[in-house]
Amino acid sequence: MRVGLIAGDADNVVRDARSAERYGFDYLGCGEHLFFHGPTPNAFVQLAAAAGATSRIRLVSSITLLPLYPAALAAKLAATLDRVSGGRFELGVGAGGEYPAEFAAVGVDPASRFRRLDEGLRVIRALFSGERVSIEGESFALRDVALRPPPVQPGGPPIWMGGRKAGAIRRAGRYADVWMPYMVDPGMLRESLARVRDAADAAGRPRDAVSGAVFAWTCVDPDGEWARETGIAAVNATYAQDFSPLADRYLVLGTPDDVVRRLREFADAGAERVLVQIAAPVAERERVIASLARDVLPRLRSGSPV
């Protein structure tokens, strides 16, 4: 299982990027919202800063809310980030919709978000080819244009797809290289990944064209009760709701043994990658990351017993 760390806020992204690379994480991720319940970043900007501060770690937007962008602009930003990072960027996308105010702020009807996501993926895949493109959609027209300069990676950055509902599963099968749901348990992941691969087959792609991943809110500490209470409090604050009844099912909390055991369950269900969002206050963040790197990563990679 390859493990990524989600970056913190804009003030600390360079520090997080350097720490993640030094500790041996495979990815640095960055989510985004235009507006949300609390402070949120922009993934393209933060990952560009991270690219300049690192040389090895891969960078993934986790996730870019594609319906908020003109698709050609998102393709341009992704291609540019791929170039400035030396081909280390991976584009994660999703529909969003849980915070309607950010859609209103850019004049996008939330009800149109799935159509815009489908159109956006079609445009991005076409532009990533580097060829001249002519496509017209509901809100755009590309007329004999090409992305110059193109991405470094042939065919463009790998595309990760977020979401866990039927539409997201269909899109992942059709467009994605990696499918990454969140708020799922291992059983849900196994069942849904099979459906993603059925969708890939129906779209004329190899079943193994899409690999599995999972986004996991995580807090690890030798004091497992502290990790559990701290992690639940952090997720409660982020989503402005009580996650206590859902914690054992959807969050990855506890001692290093607890965390290794749970992540192995996701790996056994088909997750080849996990992006970890640290569920802890800023003052405790570096300590939790160090524990994750020291006490969890080596055991996930070596297969040593829990």
Side-chain angles (χ1 to χ4, degrees):
M1 175 179 270
R2 301 177 71 186
V3 182
L5 177 70
I6 302 295
D9 58 34
D11 295 338
N12 296 302
V13 64
V14 167
R15 182 198 67 190
D16 280 355
R18 289 173 175 161
S19 291
E21 187 162 82
R22 183 177 69 253
Y23 283 132
F25 287 91
D26 300 291
Y27 296 96
L28 184 79
C30 185
E32 70 172 33
H33 280 280
L34 178 57
F35 301 106
F36 204 58
H37 300 291
T40 53
N42 176 270
F44 290 117
V45 176
Q46 287 210 173
L47 292 175
T54 58
S55 60
R56 177 197 60 81
I57 197 166
R58 295 194 65 80
L59 311 167
V60 56
S61 60
S62 54
I63 56 168
T64 293
L65 301 183
L66 191 55
L68 298 182
Y69 292 82
L73 176 60
K76 184 70 170 183
L77 291 168
T80 304
L81 183 47
D82 195 46
R83 295 197 75 85
V84 301
S85 67
R88 290 186 285 138
F89 179 56
E90 308 200 8
L91 175 64
V93 300
E98 65 267 43
Y99 202 78
E102 62 187 342
F103 284 79
V106 294
V108 172
D109 180 358
S112 73
R113 67 191 187 277
F114 298 116
R115 295 195 306 276
R116 289 176 64 90
L117 180 55
D118 282 330
E119 287 188 341
L121 286 162
R122 184 165 151 249
V123 167
I124 285 170
R125 278 293 193 200
L127 287 173
F128 277 176
S129 72
E131 303 296 326
R132 302 195 75 82
V133 172
S134 294
I135 304 175
E136 294 201 20
E138 184 177 315
S139 58
F140 68 91
L142 304 182
R143 293 173 181 148
D144 193 30
V145 294
L147 208 53
R148 293 287 186 267
V152 172
Q153 299 175 81
I159 292 178
W160 297 43
M161 179 69 62
R164 61 182 186 176
K165 295 184 179 178
I169 286 170
R170 173 184 59 79
R171 289 183 195 92
R174 180 174 297 173
Y175 295 107
D177 300 290
V178 180
W179 176 60
M180 183 184 67
Y182 82 119
M183 299 300 176
V184 294
D185 60 32
M188 293 168 65
L189 178 69
R190 179 181 291 106
E191 177 186 358
S192 296
L193 184 56
R195 291 168 57 203
V196 167
R197 289 173 170 160
D198 288 343
D201 186 54
R205 304 176 69 202
R207 291 184 63 83
D208 62 0
V210 188
S211 60
V214 67
F215 181 104
W217 282 93
T218 303
C219 188
V220 59
D221 191 80
D223 183 343
E225 190 57 35
W226 178 89
R228 178 180 168 78
E229 292 176 359
T230 298
I232 292 172
V235 178
N236 288 351
T238 298
Y239 292 101
Q241 68 180 85
D242 182 12
F243 266 79
S244 300
L246 304 173
D248 291 336
R249 185 173 186 185
Y250 295 141
L251 310 183
V252 180
L253 309 172
T255 66
D257 283 353
D258 296 329
V259 170
V260 170
R261 185 180 300 110
R262 188 60 165 173
L263 291 180
R264 284 187 180 160
E265 290 174 359
F266 279 112
D268 291 343
E272 298 175 32
R273 301 163 178 82
V274 58
L275 293 188
V276 170
Q277 175 74 273
I278 300 298
V282 172
E284 304 289 347
R285 180 178 173 83
E286 187 64 23
R287 183 170 67 84
V288 173
I289 292 171
S291 179
L292 185 67
R294 181 184 64 244
D295 303 323
V296 174
L297 260 62
R299 294 163 67 188
L300 286 177
R301 290 169 175 158
S302 70
S304 60
V306 176

